[in-house]
Amino acid sequence: NDRPQNIHALGHLDQTQMRRQYQQAHLLLFPSRGEGLSLAIMEAMACGIPVVASDISSMPEAVDSRVGRLCPADHIPSFVEAITAITAQDSTWQEYRAEARRRAVERFCLNRQLDEFEDLLAQVTAK
C-alpha cells in the first residue's frame, strides 16, 4: 500500500454523506495545477467552508480574501500561511465560513444560473 498513513479514503459518498463531510471540515485545500472552476470549491462554499486554492484558471472568480485564499501553484509556504491565517482564530474562521456560504448562495445557486441562462437565451433568440 503506497497511500500515506495520514490519508483515509472515504469511498463513494451520496449527496447527504458528502455534505456531512464538507461540514466537518475546517477548510477545503485545493492545490490544483490546472483545473478550471471546480465543483468541489462551489460545494464547499455552499456548506460554509473556506477555500485555500491555487491561483490558476478561473479560481479567482470564486475565491478571494473574504472566502479564503489563493496561493501560487506549488508554493507550499503560501498554502501553509493561508491555512494558518484562516484557522488560527475561531472568530476569523467563522467570518470566512459565513462569507463562503453567502457567496455560494449569491453566485452559484441553481436558480441564479437558470435565470442567467434564460436571459442569455432571450438575447440570442431576439437577434
Side-chain angles (χ1 to χ4, degrees):
N1 183 2
D2 293 336
R3 185 182 311 150
Q5 295 301 310
N6 62 349
I7 294 178
H8 175 73
L10 299 174
H12 178 76
L13 302 176
D14 64 28
Q15 276 189 320
T16 301
Q17 294 167 320
M18 181 70 80
R19 189 176 309 118
R20 200 172 305 125
Q21 290 299 316
Y22 276 123
Q23 291 169 340
Q24 291 177 16
H26 283 88
L27 59 80
L28 176 67
L29 177 60
F30 200 84
S32 176
R33 293 179 179 132
E35 189 166 347
L37 183 56
S38 167
L39 181 58
I41 287 177
M42 293 183 280
E43 289 172 341
M45 289 173 57
C47 291
I49 303 302
V51 175
V52 174
S54 298
D55 189 3
I56 59 162
S57 187
S58 57
M59 298 299 178
E61 292 179 34
V63 180
D64 64 19
S65 63
R66 296 183 67 200
V67 301
R69 297 280 178 93
L70 292 171
C71 303
D74 296 326
H75 192 255
I76 294 170
S78 294
F79 282 93
V80 170
E81 187 279 325
I83 292 166
T84 302
I86 291 170
T87 61
Q89 293 184 359
D90 188 62
S91 60
T92 302
W93 178 64
Q94 293 294 346
E95 289 172 14
Y96 278 101
R97 285 179 52 91
E99 184 61 22
R101 171 71 180 152
R102 188 196 68 71
R103 176 83 50 85
V105 169
E106 175 187 296
R107 291 191 182 171
F108 305 123
C109 76
L110 182 58
N111 288 338
R112 177 180 177 190
Q113 291 178 18
L114 290 173
D115 290 344
E116 289 178 1
F117 181 73
E118 286 176 355
D119 290 345
L120 179 61
L121 189 57
Q123 290 174 21
V124 169
T125 56
K127 291 182 179 182

